[in-house]
Structure formats: C-alpha cells, structure tokens
C-alpha cells in the first residue's frame, strides 16, 4: 500500500507526551513513503511504525518535523536527500529494521541536527565499531540506542 493524501487526512493527529503535534500512521501496511507534502508541515512528529517500508525517504520538505518513528519496518536504505527533507530532525527511531552494514548508514550523515537515534534490533548493531562509526558521523549525537554518548566515547570515536 502507498501512503496517500486521503490516508493522511483520515489518520489520527494528536499531541504526544512531549506536547508535540504527532501524525500517527502506524500499522497501515504502507510500503512507500510519498505525498507527505499533504501534511502541510503541520506536525512535529511522524509515526510510521509497524508498516512495510523498505527505504527511508521523503520528497517533501518538512522543517517542523523533529521526531520520526519507523520501528518494525523493513528499512535497509536511506535516501541521500533526507537532510534536506527534515532539516530540524532531532530524534530518529529505526528499531527492528534491516540495516546490516555500516555503509547503509552513511546517508544519515546528512542529518546533522540528530541528537538521538536508535537502531536496536538491526543486524548492523553487531558490526565492529558500530557505535564509534555513528558517533563520529553525527557530531550532535547525545543518545545512541538509548545509551548516553559520553565524552570519552566521543573522543575515541573521532
């Protein structure tokens, strides 16, 4: 199924615990992200967890988005232009997806404002130097996989 403007209009929008306006598109069997411009950049948070998405991408520019939740999908690719689409993204949750290599994570470098990212339950987390790789690549990262990035760890990564 493809994400469309009608689905966006029918989906619940509410304030989450952080008082952010969130669009909830969980569990809709969405395979492709498209038509996010229909949101008119009205949301701080977007939840596309529990779908069938294979590639993290967005053609719309949504500067208001600060948090993306993509738990339990099939993602193993990230679009190169993601930083342009989400210039103020701070939190990215990609728990339980299919990232297997560090190379697949390189496009995340286009998201310099990221302060928290989770890749728990992805095969890539078992790769040598996984944490150091992400810490070096994302200079503002404060929390990786729900563990605080400590100064000595950052110094070693660089």
């Amino acid at each position: 199924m493809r994400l469309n403007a009608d689905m966006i209009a029918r989906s619940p929008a509410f304030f989450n615990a952080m008082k952010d306006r969130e669009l909830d598109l969980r569990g809709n069997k969405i395979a492709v992200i498209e038509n996010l411009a229909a949101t008119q950049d009205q949301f701080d948070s977007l939840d596309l967890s529990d779908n069938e998405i294979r590639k993290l991408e967005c053609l719309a520019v949504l500067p208001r988005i600060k948090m993306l939740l993509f738990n339990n999908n099939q993602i193993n690719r990230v679009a190169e232009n993601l930083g342009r689409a989400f210039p103020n993204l701070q939190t990215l949750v990609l728990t339980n997806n299919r990232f297997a290599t560090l190379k697949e994570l390189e496009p995340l470098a286009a998201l310099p404002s990221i302060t928290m990212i989770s890749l728990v339950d992805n095969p890539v987390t078992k790769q040598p130097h996984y944490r150091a790789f992400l810490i070096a690549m994302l200079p503002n990262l404060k929390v990786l996989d729900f563990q605080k990035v400590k100064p000595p760890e950052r110094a070693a990564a660089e």
Side-chain angles (χ1 to χ4, degrees):
M1 177 180 289
R2 291 181 175 276
L3 174 63
N4 59 47
D6 183 50
M7 187 181 295
I8 291 169
R10 288 190 331 258
S11 294
F14 56 89
F15 290 96
N16 63 22
M18 296 176 62
K19 304 285 191 240
D20 287 341
R21 192 164 158 84
E22 179 176 302
L23 177 61
D24 184 350
L25 294 165
R26 291 181 87 109
N28 286 298
K29 297 187 180 182
I30 297 166
V32 178
I33 303 169
E34 57 187 18
N35 299 321
L36 284 179
T39 67
Q40 299 176 347
D41 197 29
Q42 297 179 56
F43 301 97
D44 302 294
S45 177
L46 176 61
D47 189 346
L48 279 158
S49 298
D50 304 314
N51 282 291
E52 298 170 359
I53 300 165
R54 295 181 186 272
K55 183 176 183 182
L56 181 53
E57 63 185 335
C58 180
L59 300 176
V61 176
L62 302 170
R64 185 169 171 179
I65 295 280
K66 294 184 288 186
M67 180 186 304
L68 292 175
L69 304 169
F70 284 91
N71 310 337
N72 308 319
N73 277 282
Q74 300 168 15
I75 301 170
N76 67 353
R77 293 181 317 195
V78 177
E80 297 289 332
N81 68 344
L82 207 61
R84 185 184 65 76
F86 303 110
N88 297 309
L89 187 64
Q90 297 171 0
T91 302
L92 179 60
V93 180
L94 294 165
T95 301
N96 194 28
N97 277 283
R98 296 192 176 162
F99 291 101
T101 67
L102 297 176
K103 181 122 181 98
E104 293 168 346
L105 301 178
E106 287 177 358
L108 295 175
L111 299 166
S113 59
I114 288 283
T115 59
M116 188 280 197
I117 190 167
S118 174
L119 289 151
V120 170
D121 292 332
N122 278 271
V124 71
T125 62
K126 298 189 179 20
Q127 292 288 323
H129 311 296
Y130 155 76
R131 279 187 66 87
F133 177 81
L134 279 175
I135 292 167
M137 187 173 69
L138 299 168
N140 293 314
L141 193 63
K142 294 182 175 137
V143 179
L144 173 57
D145 295 339
F146 306 108
Q147 293 181 354
K148 192 171 183 176
V149 175
K150 297 188 170 110
E153 189 177 25
R154 177 158 310 280
E158 293 169 0

